[in-house]
Amino acid sequence: MMQPVLPRRRMSIHLDAPLSDDEFQTLCQRNPQLIIEQSPDGSLVLMAPTGGASGNRNLTIGFHLAAWIEEHGGFGFDSNTMFRLPNGAHRMPDVAWVQRARFLALSEAEREGFVPLAPDFVIELRSPTDDLSALKDKMNEYMRAGVRLGWLIDPQTKTVTMYRDDGTQETLDQPATVVAETVVDGFTLPMARVWNPFGRAR
């Protein structure tokens, strides 16, 4: 059987009518080789698989968040986790965190399936195939949907933009570390291995 060839960049498919939650979940289940998100207007977004550098960066970021969670609590999620946002979008942040009480308030079926809430904290990591303006739109969408803190990490420019739920944004230029002062208070992300994933570990 022939497999579809994904474009190097994200591809959007505009439908006459948005898929229902069940239809979208069925589409994902029947096409496990595809990475699919759904925008609030119902458009489907198809993405290429992550390359080596981005995958290594994602692992580094997730490792540091997992260490913070061990001490402070809550639940962390990797880039394979689908969230069904209140605006109707289906999104897969590169890294996400949800308060313990909010996640445990979901039913067992909701925890096992597409998570029906907006995470409290998300990180998006720009890959070489990502359009920066589209990622910025996605971050703003997260904040409108109820995310309380978001970080957009861009290895190409070595910048980190923080999105806060009060509507403010702050861009850090080539930071050595990034520290959260709200939501995931004290979470610290060393950036050396993010900026240069294949450099010396020590």
Side-chain angles (χ1 to χ4, degrees):
M1 179 181 296
M2 293 183 63
Q3 296 295 327
V5 178
L6 287 176
R8 277 187 53 80
R9 295 189 178 276
R10 297 178 184 228
M11 179 175 69
S12 294
I13 301 175
H14 299 277
L15 306 178
D16 291 335
L19 299 179
S20 68
D21 289 342
D22 288 342
E23 289 172 333
F24 180 74
Q25 187 162 1
T26 298
L27 175 68
C28 294
Q29 290 172 342
R30 290 182 177 177
N31 297 276
Q33 75 278 14
L34 301 179
I35 302 172
I36 310 172
E37 291 185 331
Q38 185 173 28
S39 300
D41 65 0
S43 300
L44 301 178
V45 182
L46 278 63
M47 295 167 283
T50 298
S54 292
N56 185 272
R57 290 180 173 113
N58 273 333
L59 182 64
T60 296
I61 295 168
F63 169 80
H64 287 287
L65 182 61
W68 182 90
I69 289 170
E70 283 296 309
E71 183 175 352
H72 296 88
F75 295 96
F77 303 90
D78 68 12
S79 59
N80 291 312
T81 307
M82 185 74 73
F83 289 87
R84 176 164 52 83
L85 304 181
N87 62 5
H90 292 83
R91 297 297 190 190
M92 302 167 68
D94 288 317
V95 177
W97 176 84
V98 178
Q99 282 184 328
R100 178 181 177 85
R102 290 186 66 218
F103 190 73
L104 293 182
L106 301 175
S107 68
E108 183 175 352
E110 289 172 327
R111 294 180 215 159
E112 291 291 337
F114 293 167
V115 184
L117 52 72
D120 294 283
F121 173 55
V122 300
I123 295 177
E124 286 287 352
L125 174 68
R126 185 186 182 191
S127 71
T129 59
D130 285 331
D131 178 75
L132 183 57
S133 63
L135 275 182
K136 289 179 178 179
D137 289 343
K138 188 175 182 180
M139 296 301 297
N140 285 315
E141 176 193 304
Y142 281 139
M143 305 314 293
R144 291 192 299 269
V147 171
R148 296 192 291 137
L149 178 65
W151 291 358
L152 173 56
I153 299 176
D154 184 355
Q156 297 181 42
T157 60
K158 293 188 177 180
T159 58
V160 178
T161 301
M162 297 180 168
Y163 292 74
R164 303 186 180 93
D165 59 1
D166 62 2
T168 62
Q169 298 178 17
E170 179 184 4
T171 299
L172 308 177
D173 184 23
Q174 301 186 51
T177 59
V178 183
V179 182
E181 298 177 351
T182 62
V183 186
V184 283
D185 301 20
F187 168 53
T188 300
L189 179 61
M191 300 302 296
R193 300 288 293 168
V194 177
W195 300 146
N196 184 16
F198 304 125
R200 292 181 61 86
R202 296 183 184 275

